[in-house]
Amino acid sequence: MLASCQQHSYPVDHEQLSEEERIVIRFSHVVGEDTPKGLASRKFAELVKERTDGYVEVQVFPNSFLYKDGEEISALLDGDVQMIAPSTSKITTVIPEWQIIDLPFAFETKEEVREYVEGPVGEVLKNKLKAEGIYPLAFWYNGFKQMTNNREPLKHPDDFQDLRFRIMSSEVLYEQFDLLGAEARVETFDQVFPVLNNEELNAQENTFSNIVNKNIHTVQDYMTVSNHGYLGYLVLMNGEFWQNLPDEVQIVILDALDEVTEWVKELAEEVNEDAYQELMDCRCIEIHELTDEEKQLWEDAFLPLYTSFEQRYGELYINHLPKFKMDH
């Protein structure tokens, strides 16, 4: 009996331990607490604390409290924080091949995204992160992005001409708007509302939940429901910190993340549906849903992006996308 009680090496009276005696994981992210990522990070912290009796404490810092999204990766690599959950677009500054997720209309459903990220190409992409000292733990869902602007409804590719879009840091996203004759500028997530509000920029792309959470709809007049790109998050840990964690702590973390990942997959859909309903009910932004014919025009206009990606990073990434897989 004594032996079985000593299988777990957690200290006694965890709540009485100082921060130096406990394992503390600082988890920084840039979005609000009521978004899918914000809710998932909080649930993850609760599960880890509960399952280690407080020996492992995940301290969550939302809303760019510690670092803006342009600073998070450096902070992780420097060990200033131990966990982050950036969008896949943000990690492309380290591993540009992750831009495959940014290709417009590459995925039709969240299941297609999951299969790609968890499949062979996803494993190769995750190994590239490990080689840079970043340990990938999970992929969290948000939803598909929509277009907003304050000039006119975006129905045809020509409608984008001379609009000024805020984008995340990704060459594919820059080229996406450049192809359509729009200007694109990288801005951190905490600056989206200010730059739209003061009309430095007049357009952006985001999920329903992020649009509502950041009050973007109050400074934009038109929204096109396009579902053109997927916004998901990579849950990442500093590689050295991960390797130095005790085995039993690693197991608790991975187990908790598995549970939270399944939970947030359904939650993200609900949160985005509720946000879309709120946008329709507020009657404060004109909403246009792309028709099949309009969507085809957009897809045709974006085809050069696939060619340029293939030239830079190889056809393997493209060939494994759901829309091309059947042909190879």
Side-chain angles (χ1 to χ4, degrees):
M1 282 181 65
L2 184 61
S4 66
C5 289
Q6 292 176 338
Q7 283 178 358
H8 296 292
S9 57
Y10 306 136
V12 182
D13 292 332
H14 309 144
E15 298 295 337
Q16 307 304 315
L17 296 177
S18 68
E19 187 165 303
E20 290 72 28
E21 294 170 299
R22 286 180 284 120
I23 292 175
V24 176
I25 299 171
R26 286 153 63 88
F27 187 168
S28 172
H29 69 78
V30 302
V31 300
E33 292 186 273
D34 294 329
T35 60
K37 179 163 63 174
L39 294 165
S41 58
R42 207 161 65 214
K43 184 176 180 69
F44 167 68
E46 290 166 0
L47 288 177
V48 170
K49 183 176 182 180
E50 175 189 310
R51 292 173 185 180
T52 62
D53 296 328
Y55 176 47
V56 181
E57 180 185 357
V58 179
Q59 298 175 348
V60 180
F61 299 90
N63 274 318
S64 304
F65 182 82
L66 289 183
Y67 299 100
K68 297 178 181 178
D69 49 19
E71 306 164 339
E72 282 188 315
I73 295 167
S74 295
L76 184 77
L77 289 168
D78 292 343
D80 296 328
V81 293
Q82 290 71 49
M83 282 185 78
I84 60 175
S87 68
T88 54
S89 301
K90 309 283 173 52
I91 204 68
T92 62
T93 55
V94 181
I95 310 295
E97 290 87 346
W98 272 100
Q99 290 178 97
I100 190 75
I101 308 296
D102 289 330
L103 286 171
F105 301 108
F107 305 98
E108 293 282 338
T109 65
K110 70 176 186 292
E111 285 75 21
E112 289 184 352
V113 180
R114 179 186 60 78
E115 287 172 13
Y116 192 87
V117 172
E118 293 180 2
V121 176
E123 285 306 306
V124 170
L125 291 172
K126 290 171 194 172
N127 286 335
K128 287 180 181 291
L129 286 168
K130 292 176 186 176
E132 296 295 328
I134 300 171
Y135 196 85
L137 293 165
F139 179 83
W140 283 352
Y141 303 83
N142 185 333
F144 283 93
K145 293 183 289 184
Q146 323 302 336
M147 300 283 193
T148 71
N149 80 104
N150 66 1
R151 190 178 70 189
E152 63 181 330
L154 300 177
K155 300 179 180 180
H156 305 103
D158 291 346
D159 297 333
F160 286 78
Q161 191 74 36
D162 297 327
L163 280 171
R164 304 186 308 280
F165 271 84
R166 175 268 173 176
I167 61 168
M168 295 180 285
S169 52
S170 162
E171 287 179 18
V172 164
L173 295 181
Y174 178 85
E175 291 170 15
Q176 169 180 277
F177 292 109
D178 189 53
L179 264 178
L180 303 179
E183 178 189 333
R185 194 171 92 192
V186 176
E187 288 287 351
T188 56
F189 187 61
D190 65 310
Q191 289 300 304
V192 177
F193 182 87
V195 298
L196 293 174
N197 190 38
N198 65 26
E199 298 187 354
E200 281 181 61
L201 303 177
N202 58 9
Q204 65 88 53
E205 56 172 8
N206 234 309
T207 59
F208 294 128
S209 62
N210 281 352
I211 289 169
V212 169
N213 190 265
K214 282 295 184 185
N215 288 314
I216 291 168
H217 56 299
T218 65
V219 291
Q220 298 275 268
D221 297 323
Y222 303 97
M223 179 173 72
T224 297
V225 180
S226 51
N227 295 318
H228 62 281
Y230 197 81
L231 180 60
Y233 308 109
L234 288 164
V235 184
L236 308 172
M237 187 171 277
N238 175 284
E240 185 179 355
F241 182 84
W242 170 258
Q243 296 301 336
N244 288 327
L245 287 174
D247 291 353
E248 62 266 31
V249 172
Q250 289 185 349
I251 290 168
V252 168
I253 287 171
L254 291 172
D255 188 50
L257 280 171
D258 280 349
E259 185 173 325
V260 172
T261 299
E262 285 305 306
W263 176 79
V264 78
K265 185 166 62 176
E266 303 308 317
L267 175 79
E269 201 163 310
E270 291 173 20
V271 170
N272 276 293
E273 283 174 3
D274 290 346
Y276 184 31
Q277 189 63 51
E278 185 173 336
L279 290 167
M280 288 192 291
D281 291 344
C282 79
R283 301 187 182 279
C284 53
I285 188 167
E286 186 177 313
I287 300 172
H288 172 72
E289 295 199 24
L290 275 190
T291 66
D292 290 342
E293 292 78 14
E294 290 164 351
K295 181 186 172 191
Q296 191 60 56
L297 288 174
W298 286 36
E299 290 200 49
D300 292 344
F302 288 135
L303 277 176
L305 291 175
Y306 287 78
T307 304
S308 63
F309 186 96
E310 186 175 316
Q311 289 170 346
R312 273 179 288 183
Y313 306 115
E315 64 178 12
L316 186 69
Y317 295 101
I318 299 290
N319 291 349
H320 275 74
L321 288 172
K323 63 195 300 178
F324 297 114
K325 201 171 182 182
M326 298 297 291
D327 299 330
H328 295 275

